[in-house]
Structure formats: C-alpha cells, structure tokens
Amino acid sequence: MITRARGRRVVLTAAVALAATACGGSAPRGRPPAPPRSPALTASSARSQHGAGGTSHAGGQGDAPARGQGDEPAGSRKDAAAAQPRERPFPAACAGDADCGYDPASERCGADPRLNRQPPVTDQGIVCYCDAGACARLRVLPVPCEGDHDCAVAHEPRAHPVRATRERPHEKGRPCRDLTLSTTCERTNICTLHRHACPGR
C-alpha cells in the first residue's frame, strides 16, 4: 500500500510539474504587434509632442514663400536696367555736309564728330548731308540697268544715280565741258555715278 501511495505521489508530482511547464511555455513571450496607425493619428501625435506653440523644422521651411525658377530679386533687375546704356540722340545742328556723320547701330545721321563720315556715293550707300541746319539721311539703293541709257543723275538732295526717265534722261555731253557728273551701266548691271575732276570747278 505504501509503495502504491508513493507511486501515486510521484505520478501526481510529475503531472503537476508538466502542467506548470506547459503553462509557462504558453505564457506570452512578448506583446503582440500593434495595429497600424492612421496618418492622421501620427500627425496629431507629432503635433502634441512639439506642443501647441512649437513648429517643426519642416514646417518652418514650408512657411517661407516659394520662389520660382524664373523669379529674380528686385536688386538684380535694377542692376541689369542700369547696365543697359540709354540711347542718346546725337546733336543734329550742322553748318555743312562735312559736319554730318553716320551711326550704323541706330541708322541715324548726326553732327557728333565720332560718327562715321561716309564716302561719296557711286552706286549705292548712305548719304549724310546738312539740310536747313540739321543733319539728314539719304539711303541710295542700287539701280539695275542694261545700258548707259537706263542711268541718269539726280542732284537732289545730293548727287546719286537713278533710273533714267523722260523727265530725267541720260546725260549727254563731254566731261568737264558739258557736265561734271555722269552715269554709266557697269558690267554688274548697276548704274554708277562718276564725278569728273575738272580744273577750275
């Protein structure tokens, strides 16, 4: 009887030990993963951490006004405007044709001595002349021709070749005796003005 009682105790003790081991093994080893939080809750928690009056670093940058790629500071625009030279009118008062010159950049004639003095026109070009005390400009275009009879001399406002007409025919006569200016049709088929060097004229 004693042997059987001891055997039952041993079995009971072993069963209790196994039950305790089983209970310990089934105990939670860690907390289960929390469900994903929504972005709204995350943002609200971030605001609560910073406080009502504080702002995050990212928020401080976002509060600054955005500047586009094409925007320029006001100071740079003023500097660029100041760097551009302003166009100034040339003095136009003159006493003769020699006082007038030509500015290719503005395509104007003026009395500034720094302007280019144009050579006398032969077939085409720019003539700067003095008209009523002010510099004026004449643009002479090339005059096509097939022979000398197609060319003539126009004296106004300054001498230059033109196409011959009934009212203004091709000049006839001998140089220096009958005329000092004449025109010919050159091989380029353009009327050309000739100024004859006549003694005493």
Side-chain angles (χ1 to χ4, degrees):
M1 294 294 291
I2 296 175
T3 303
R4 292 182 179 179
R6 289 180 179 178
R8 290 179 180 177
R9 285 182 182 179
V10 172
V11 172
L12 181 60
T13 302
V16 171
L18 290 175
T21 304
C23 292
S26 61
R29 297 182 182 178
R31 293 184 180 180
R37 304 177 67 182
S38 63
L41 295 176
T42 305
S44 62
S45 62
R47 286 195 297 269
S48 62
Q49 291 177 1
H50 286 288
T55 56
S56 64
H57 181 69
Q61 291 181 348
D63 293 341
R67 179 175 296 173
Q69 295 181 356
D71 296 342
E72 295 180 359
S76 63
R77 289 195 296 268
K78 292 181 180 179
D79 296 341
Q84 295 179 355
R86 295 183 179 179
E87 184 176 337
R88 297 181 180 179
F90 296 109
C94 58
D97 291 352
D99 296 335
C100 300
Y102 181 65
D103 177 37
S106 62
E107 297 184 351
R108 294 179 300 163
C109 292
D112 194 318
R114 295 172 297 179
L115 300 182
N116 299 332
R117 266 51 188 174
Q118 300 300 106
V121 170
T122 56
D123 52 8
Q124 57 186 307
I126 298 293
V127 179
C128 290
Y129 63 99
C130 187
D131 181 27
C135 292
R137 187 194 70 175
L138 170 67
R139 181 184 294 274
V140 179
L141 300 178
V143 180
C145 59
E146 295 181 0
D148 292 348
H149 60 278
D150 292 330
C151 304
V153 178
H155 295 272
E156 297 297 335
R158 293 297 182 269
H160 61 281
V162 294
R163 187 169 183 82
T165 61
R166 181 176 297 180
E167 293 77 15
R168 185 187 287 139
H170 177 68
E171 61 282 348
K172 295 180 181 180
R174 288 183 295 180
C176 295
R177 178 178 177 179
D178 302 319
L179 47 84
T180 58
L181 298 174
S182 63
T183 54
T184 56
C185 183
E186 298 299 320
R187 289 181 294 180
T188 56
N189 295 109
I190 295 178
C191 292
T192 302
L193 177 66
H194 301 280
R195 294 174 172 83
H196 303 288
C198 301
R201 292 191 180 183

